[in-house]
Amino acid sequence: MFTCFVDLSKAFDKVNYWKLFHKLLVDNIAVPFVYLLAFWYTNQSAFVRWNGVDSGRFSVGNGTRQGSVLSPYLFTRYIREVITVIAYCAIGCNIAGVFVNILAYADDIVLLAPSWKGLQFLIDIFQQATADIDMLCNVDKTVCMVFSPSNRRKIVASSFPEFHLGDTCLKFVCTFRYLGHIITNDQHDDNDIAREIRNLFVRTNILKKNFYKCSMAVKRVLFRSHSLYVLFTARC
């Protein structure tokens, strides 16, 4: 399987307000609500603080609001057509008659195809679709990975031509961190497990430092509760 981990350059900051509001109106979102969003976004201002000195205020003309709980939802709606054009192009991995050629969590996007030509086709479509909404891919952070068949007799080649994003060649990598997890092209999760073990030691030492006056019984309860919470959030 051929994959491309796409990085959109400053994705949340490049959302075009008016294209976003138009998409919301097309979805029959209540007009007063769209008016409210338009008022918020067109009246934003910001300033820069450096060494305790504040700059003058300046208006912000694009991008979703930093830290807003609405921003991921608005961004997802903004790129819906990009995801749709990929999902319905009938090129990519086929599982029980269903094409699985794109995975997306906000701006963390992965393209998947069973062949080199198929993935290059998806990359070309993606580039054109993102250009239509005024977004660009960061070619320095967009990388490709090849997963070989588990049956070695089905391996057709050990190296492949470089993929192109526009005029730029994309790098091949053996490992990539996606949504907080380390993915490797050998399909093993040893690196990810080792990372979680290191994090567990770090969190345990923090608990030990902050609750050193507590009894051993209390520390055990805190450790078990914290470990279960970490495990639950990691799986989610």
Side-chain angles (χ1 to χ4, degrees), residues 6 44 61 67-68 101 123 171 176 178 185 202 205 222 227:
V6 181
Q44 289 185 103
S68 171
N101 54 12
I123 292 173
K171 296 180 293 185
F176 187 81
Y178 181 68
N185 63 351
V202 171
N205 288 329
L222 289 171
S227 299

Side-chain angles (χ1 to χ4, degrees), residues 92-151:
C93 299
N94 189 306
I95 302 176
V98 178
F99 282 98
V100 181
N101 54 12
I102 184 169
L103 304 175
Y105 186 84
D107 61 335
D108 294 308
I109 298 173
V110 189
L111 305 177
L112 309 96
S115 66
W116 185 95
K117 186 176 180 179
L119 184 59
Q120 183 61 63
F121 183 78
L122 294 180
I123 292 173
D124 293 340
I125 294 178
F126 187 85
Q127 182 185 21
Q128 180 58 52
T130 51
D132 292 340
I133 58 172
D134 304 329
M135 287 197 170
L136 297 173
C137 296
N138 186 336
V139 294
D140 294 325
K141 295 184 178 180
T142 298
V143 297
C144 299
M145 186 183 296
V146 181
F147 295 89
S148 299
S150 55
N151 186 344

